Amino acid sequence: MARIDDLLSQARALDPALGRELAAAIKERTSFGLVFEDHLPEAVEMPMVPVQEGSFVRILPPRGSTTQPEPDVYEVVEVSDDEFLLTPENQGADTDEAGGEVIETVTASRKDVVAVARYKDTVYPGLCLDGQVDTEDTKEPVHAVINAENSHALRMLGFTHRESVDTIYIDPPYNTGSNSWIYNDRYVSGDDSFRHSKWLSFMDRRLTLARDLLKETGVIVVAIGDDEHHRLRMLMDKVFGEHNFISSVVWQGGRKNNARFISNGADYMLAYAKNLSTWSKPGVPLKEAPSVSTIRADEIQERGAKWRVPKPGVDNVLAQGRKAWEEAGGDEEKATALMRAWFKSLPGDAPEKKMARNIYFLPDGALARDGDISAPGGNGFRYDVLHPVTNLPVPAPSRGWRSTEDGMRQMIAEGRILFREDHTDPISEKRPLEGVTGQVALSVFDRQRTHGTRHLHYPQNDSGVFPDARFPYPKDHTVLMEWLDLMTPRDGVILDFFGGSGSTMEAVLRLNEENATSERTCILVTNNELNHKDAQQLRKDGLRPGDPQWEEHGVYRHVTKPRIETILTGTRVDGTPYTNPTAGRVNFFTLTYEAPAAIQHDLAFAKVAPALWLKAGSRGEVITEIPDHGWAATDTYAVLRDTDQTAAFLDNLKDRPDLRHVFVITDSQATFRQVNDHLPPGVASTRLYEDYLTTFKIAND
C-alpha cells in the first residue's frame, strides 16, 4: 500500500477534497471475491421532459447520423430563444492569469439537446394512465404494466411496495456482446473491454433496489446465460447473502448440432430467498409443511412452506377415485377393490402406476394412501392402541406415536386410521391424496425455447399473437406459469422489472384463469427501447428518441402493450381474431417526472394518483380526481384532501369493510395523527405529500 499512500498524499496536496474521495473509493474496493469497476452511474435520457435553466442535458448527434450519443452531461446555465448555454458537469475550477474563475461553456441548439436524469439525481415520478383492458366476469386483482426506465420504476415501487413483493422474476440482458443492451444510453458491444463491469454495475444497483421490495418470505429468480452466470451468482451472494441461495436451475432449451465441442443450449435461473429461515416453522416437519402455491402469503411464517410441483397423472387418479366411490355406492371395501383393479390395468410405464398405494378411502369418499404415523425424529407419545377386532394392542413404533392419545382417538373415530386383519401388523394413517399431490421440482428440465417464439408469431398456421415477427427469443409463458405457481403463494405479488415482451404478465393472467384459487397480482416494468438494428435504421432516417415514429417502434408500444391487449380482447393488431384469449384486468401506465414543488403544493395529484392506487393494493378503480366536497373513496382505499371534512369522511369509511389504506393530504403532522387515530382497525395510512417526497429523497441517498 506504500505506493497508493504516496499517491494519495500527492492528491491531497493538490486538491484535499479529491484526495478524500480517492481514499474513500479505495477503502470501499473489495480485495477478494467479486471485484469489478464500479462505473459511473447511468444518466437516462428523457426526451419528453422540457429543458430549462438548471437542467442536466446531453447534446445529440445531428439528425441522419448513426453515431451513438456521447455520454457527456452538461448543465444548462442560460436559456435564449433558440439556444442553450451549457457547462460541462462537474468541471474543475480553472483560473485565469488574474486569478479569476474560468468556466468552460458550450452553445447548443434547443432542438439538439435532451434532458437527462443522472442516477444520483433525485427524481419524483408520477404515472400517466395509458390504457386499460377489463374483460367481463373477471375477478380481482388488477395488474399493472409500467413503461419506464426500470431503476426509476424501482424507486417508485419503493414507495408503493416496500417489503410487499412475494416473487421477483427477471430476465435481464445476457451481455453476450452483440449490442443487445444499453448502458448510459449507448449499446454495449463485445469489443468494449469494460462490458462485464458495466453489466455488473448496472445489475448491482437494480438488485439492491429490488431487495428492499421483497417481503421477508420473498424470493427472486434471475434468468441468465453462460456469459454472466458465474459473475451473477457472486453478485447475488453479495446482495442477498450466500446463505439465502436456493438453486441454480438449468433450462436445457435444445441441441446445437453445429457446435465444435459441446452443445451449450442451456440457460439458468438463479433463485435466492430474502430470508430463507422464514420458510421453516419450528416444530413443523418438512413433509407436513404445505405447498406454498396452496396457501396465502401471510401463512408462510405461520405454517412453514415448501415448493412442490404436481405429480404427473395425479388428476387421473383423483378422477378414478371419485368414480370408484360412486360405483361402489360408498362401500369402502368395494371402492378399494375397484382402485386395485384399475391400477393393475394400466400400462407399465403409466405415471399413475407410481401412485398405486392410493387405494384407500376416507368415510367422505376422499381417496387416500397409507402413511407413517410415528413421531419424526423420535421421542413420540407412548400408549397402547387397541385393534378394533381382537381388542389387543397393535405394535407401537420405536419412535413413539406422532399424535397424543386424544388425537389418536379422534383419528380412529374419523376413520383415518388403517387397521390390518389383526393386531400383529402395524397400523398406518390414511392421508388424502389431495394433500400429497406434489413432488420436489428438479434443478434441470428440458423444454424447447422455440415455443415462446412460435406463441408470438407462427406463420405456418397464423396462430400467433402477432401477424408478424416482433420480438426475438421471448420466454415461454407456459414455463413461467409452472415456476411462478411453484414458488408463489396463491395471493402473491409478482414483479418483473425487465418485462420485455410481457411473458411474465401473460403467465400470471393465465394462472389466475386456470386455477380458481389463484389471486396473484403482476406488476411488469418494461421500457420503450429499440433493438440496435432498428435504432440504427431510424437514426439514419433522421429520427430520434421522442419522435412519434421512433416511439411507436419501441418494445412497450410495439410488443408488450399490444400483446397483453390481444390475449385479453381476442383481437390481434390487424383486426383478425386471436383464438386463445384469456381473462383479466390490466392497467397500462407511463412513468413521468414531476416537479417536487408541484407535488408539494398538490398541483400534480392526477400524476401521483396511480401510485396511491398501487400502494393500496391495486384493487378496483384509480381515484384520479377529488370532488369538491374534499375527499374520495373506493371500496379499498380513500383520499382526504380537505381536513375540515374529516367527520364526514370518517363516517363514510364505516361502510367499507374491504378498506385497506387511507391517504391524508396535510402539512400538519398533528392533523394527520388525529385522522389516523379514528380510522377503522387494520387500515393503513400515509401522509401526503411528505411521505411521498421523503421516500425518493431517501432512496437516492
Side-chain angles (χ1 to χ4, degrees), residues 6 23 61 122 259 304 394 420-421 429 473 486 488 495 547 606 625 634:
D6 182 54
T122 301
V394 299
R420 309 299 174 176
E421 289 188 8
E429 179 186 3
Y473 315 120
L486 168 75
T488 309
L495 169 64
D547 293 340
E625 59 182 4
T634 69

Side-chain angles (χ1 to χ4, degrees), residues 288 362-363 371-374 381 383 385 401-419 427-432:
E288 294 185 12
L362 292 169
D372 186 12
I373 200 169
S374 64
F381 298 98
Y383 51 84
V385 176
W401 304 109
R402 187 176 72 244
S403 301
T404 64
E405 192 167 2
D406 286 342
M408 179 67 77
R409 290 196 190 100
Q410 182 177 348
M411 286 193 290
I412 293 173
E414 293 173 351
R416 292 164 53 197
I417 298 300
L418 182 63
F419 288 93
I427 64 174
S428 55
E429 179 186 3
K430 294 180 184 177
R431 294 186 179 172

Side-chain angles (χ1 to χ4, degrees), residues 39-106:
H39 282 263
L40 291 175
E42 312 107 282
V44 178
E45 293 183 5
M46 304 181 296
M48 304 302 182
V49 175
V51 176
Q52 56 192 359
E53 188 172 325
S55 296
F56 289 95
V57 299
R58 279 206 183 106
I59 300 175
L60 297 171
R63 286 188 180 271
S65 169
T66 57
T67 304
Q68 294 201 67
E70 290 298 326
D72 300 329
V73 174
Y74 299 84
E75 183 178 0
V76 178
V77 294
E78 188 176 312
V79 178
S80 64
D81 291 340
D82 299 317
E83 294 181 332
F84 293 121
L85 186 64
L86 314 175
T87 183
E89 174 193 29
N90 298 329
Q91 72 164 339
D94 294 332
T95 57
D96 57 20
E97 294 180 358
E101 187 175 354
V102 176
I103 300 177
E104 177 188 350
T105 58
V106 177

Side-chain angles (χ1 to χ4, degrees), residues 556-599:
Y556 167 73
R557 295 284 176 202
H558 194 57
V559 182
T560 318
K561 188 170 185 278
R563 173 186 184 170
I564 303 305
E565 290 172 334
T566 295
I567 66 169
L568 288 176
T569 64
T571 302
R572 301 197 298 180
V573 292
D574 62 354
T576 58
Y578 175 62
T579 58
N580 186 28
T582 187
R585 301 181 64 187
V586 179
N587 285 346
F588 298 91
F589 301 99
T590 291
L591 188 139
T592 62
Y593 299 92
E594 304 303 319
I599 296 175

Side-chain angles (χ1 to χ4, degrees), residues 141-142 159-161 164 493 521 608-623 634-639 658-663 683-686:
V142 186
F159 170 74
T160 65
H161 282 79
S164 299
V493 176
T521 306
V608 174
L612 308 185
W613 172 80
L614 282 169
K615 187 174 180 66
S618 59
R619 296 302 200 262
E621 300 303 317
V622 181
I623 298 174
T634 69
D635 289 341
T636 56
Y637 79 109
V639 182
D658 296 326
L659 190 70
R660 294 182 172 202
H661 209 112
V662 166
F663 299 90
V683 175
S685 61
T686 298

Side-chain angles (χ1 to χ4, degrees), residues 165-238:
V165 175
D166 295 281
T167 302
I168 294 175
Y169 169 83
I170 55 173
D171 182 18
Y174 282 14
N175 198 22
T176 59
S178 58
N179 286 313
S180 60
W181 72 289
I182 294 174
Y183 185 87
N184 218 9
D185 285 304
R186 295 170 65 87
Y187 292 92
V188 179
S189 65
D191 58 5
D192 187 331
S193 58
F194 288 101
R195 71 181 177 96
H196 295 298
S197 57
K198 285 180 178 178
W199 188 87
L200 287 166
S201 296
F202 171 85
M203 290 298 298
D204 188 16
R205 295 173 190 129
R206 286 156 179 80
L207 290 173
T208 300
L209 290 170
R211 180 190 59 205
D212 294 336
L213 303 181
L214 286 172
K215 295 177 181 176
E216 281 299 295
T217 54
V219 295
I220 180 170
V221 174
V222 184
I224 197 62
D226 281 316
D227 295 87
E228 297 291 357
H229 174 267
H230 51 304
R231 298 182 186 90
L232 177 63
R233 177 158 180 184
M234 295 181 73
L235 177 61
M236 295 187 74
D237 281 347
K238 166 182 171 285

Side-chain angles (χ1 to χ4, degrees), residues 1-13 18-31:
M1 290 293 291
R3 173 64 173 161
I4 292 178
D5 291 339
D6 182 54
L7 292 173
L8 284 175
S9 296
Q10 295 179 44
R12 290 191 189 98
L18 176 61
R20 287 193 297 271
E21 288 187 20
L22 285 172
I26 292 171
K27 185 177 180 180
E28 290 174 359
R29 288 179 65 95
T30 304
S31 58

